[in-house]
Amino acid sequence: MKLGKTLISEHEIQHRTSQLAHQIVNDFKDDEILIISVLKGAFMFTADLIRRISKLDAKIEIDFIRARSYGSGKDSSGVVKLDLDVSADLKNRCVLLVDDIVDSGNTLKQVCEYLNGKGAAKVSTCVLLDKPARRTTDFVPDYIGFEIPDYFVVGYGLDYNERGRCLPFITHIVD
Ligand code: IMP
Ligand code: MG
């Protein structure tokens, strides 16, 4: 795997994450936020985001879900499979679903419907990256870190066949 130039630096990610945390805490006010992180891609972003949110004294609980729509390629299969379910009771909870990137929108659209079906009072969504050019659904995230062009990117949790996930910045791969 050959990496291209850095698209978003570690510093830019941290700065933007802090801004998002402020916006989220401001919007959720006194409601406890049940953060549901979509594994594996969102693990690094979630870890930084929840630390920023905690510093602002918001009440949060964390849970995980594992969904995949990708096999080993770069295109969404459109079929979202759940490998790991949330353990929290979602009845009347204010959920913030956190993912790494929204591409076609299939994953988050379907996971949101699933969580709503479990009785959540509200499901909001936060993504680090948005590739609007690739959207094939009407899904619109509530909080977006960065809009990026139609590149396949890795780093900061995002992978290509499990490579690149642990880099602290976002870069793209060149074939
Ligand atoms: P969607 O269902 O098409 O919106 O795709 C969402 C999922 O595909 C994300 O949660 C990622 O796991 C993966 N994905 C989409 N684009 C990229 C990319 O550029 N790099 C790495 N993973 C990606
Ligand atoms: Mg993902």
Side-chain angles (χ1 to χ4, degrees), residues 13 18 23 29 42 44-45 50 53 62 65 71 89 109-110 116 126 144 152 159 169:
I13 294 171
S18 174
Q23 212 182 324
K29 301 200 167 59
M44 209 178 275
F45 177 45
I50 60 175
I53 293 177
I62 175 86
I65 198 163
D89 181 1
K109 187 178 164 102
Q110 290 179 43
N116 275 314
C126 176
I144 298 167
F152 197 85
D159 74 304
F169 50 83

Side-chain angles (χ1 to χ4, degrees), residues 38-42 67 99-101 107:
V38 184
L39 295 173
K40 297 180 192 175
D99 206 356
D100 50 1
I101 188 165
T107 307

Side-chain angles (χ1 to χ4, degrees), residues 41 69-70 76 80 99-108 131 151-154 158-160:
S69 61
Y70 277 74
S76 171
V80 178
D99 206 356
D100 50 1
I101 188 165
V102 53
D103 188 60
S104 69
N106 280 314
T107 307
L108 286 176
K131 276 200 275 195
Y151 291 140
F152 197 85
V153 293
V154 296
L158 294 103
D159 74 304
Y160 179 55

Side-chain angles (χ1 to χ4, degrees), residues 48-64:
D48 284 336
L49 185 67
I50 60 175
R51 279 179 282 193
R52 302 279 185 184
I53 293 177
S54 300
K55 278 188 188 163
L56 301 172
D57 286 332
K59 286 178 280 178
I60 54 174
E61 188 182 321
I62 175 86
D63 207 335
F64 299 92

